[in-house]
Amino acid sequence: DIMFRLSTGALRRRLFSTTSTVIKYEEFGVPSKVLKRESQNLPSLGANQVLVRMLAAPINPADLNSIYGTYGQRKVPAVAGNEGVAVVQSVGAGVKDLKANDWVIPAKPGFGTWRTFAVADSSALQRVPNDIPVEYAATLAVNPCTAYRMLNDFVNLKEGDVII
């Protein structure tokens, strides 16, 4: 996986942004040809929604295959990125399970993590510890599952075996 951190200098000055820079695609194809950077207006915050600022999002094979159109059932246009970690900036009046400064990850694939900010239903996000490195938090949803699946499908582990 390649990890990129979103620039924080300008973001700190605009914590409650009304726009987000996104990396999106409107058709499937070669990432270098179909990915576009653009600014999008954020919708107003609804009662059960949260505003998040992305901290980090990995670039992994599943993301590239989604852009090629060979992975998952994603529809276009779409914001790229399936996993990442964000910090909650503000919450709607009806949100009880999240608060400002909580770290969150998408609860399901297809969130579109290659962006600076997002407004999402609180149910689309899952809180994670904020005392771990941001790189670990950004990959919590996919990498452990992939490792488990690879070990379960291709390795005959026995009691006492050690995995590094």
Side-chain angles (χ1 to χ4, degrees):
D1 288 359
I2 299 169
M3 180 73 62
F4 72 88
R5 288 182 189 235
L6 300 170
S7 171
T8 57
L11 298 179
R12 283 191 184 128
R13 291 188 293 276
R14 294 180 9 162
L15 286 179
F16 298 98
S17 182
T18 58
T19 62
S20 178
T21 300
V22 303
I23 305 297
K24 69 181 281 191
Y25 53 105
E26 296 184 358
E27 61 182 315
F28 298 117
V30 177
S32 62
K33 296 185 190 291
V34 300
L35 290 176
K36 294 180 177 29
R37 179 182 171 184
E38 70 177 47
S39 182
Q40 289 183 346
N41 290 326
L42 292 170
S44 298
L45 194 61
N48 295 312
Q49 293 183 316
V50 297
L51 170 66
V52 298
R53 177 175 51 89
M54 295 304 301
L55 297 173
I59 301 170
N60 62 43
D63 295 319
L64 299 177
N65 288 331
S66 292
I67 296 162
Y68 277 111
T70 60
Y71 184 84
Q73 302 299 317
R74 189 168 242 187
K75 294 180 173 138
V76 290
V79 174
N82 286 305
E83 61 181 339
V85 63
V87 62
V88 174
Q89 300 295 294
S90 59
V91 300
V95 176
K96 304 295 181 220
D97 55 338
L98 296 172
K99 63 185 182 318
N101 297 317
D102 282 348
W103 280 15
V104 293
I105 61 173
K108 296 186 240 178
F111 184 82
T113 56
W114 297 3
R115 62 175 80 221
T116 53
F117 291 90
V119 171
D121 290 342
S122 63
S123 62
L125 301 166
Q126 180 178 340
R127 187 174 18 175
V128 296
N130 63 2
D131 60 351
I132 61 175
V134 69
E135 296 87 357
Y136 295 5
T139 60
L140 271 176
V142 176
N143 284 345
C145 299
T146 301
Y148 172 79
R149 181 70 193 258
M150 295 296 289
L151 289 169
N152 193 52
D153 290 356
F154 298 105
V155 179
N156 186 16
L157 294 174
K158 297 175 186 68
E159 186 174 336
D161 286 349
V162 176
I163 302 167
I164 298 177

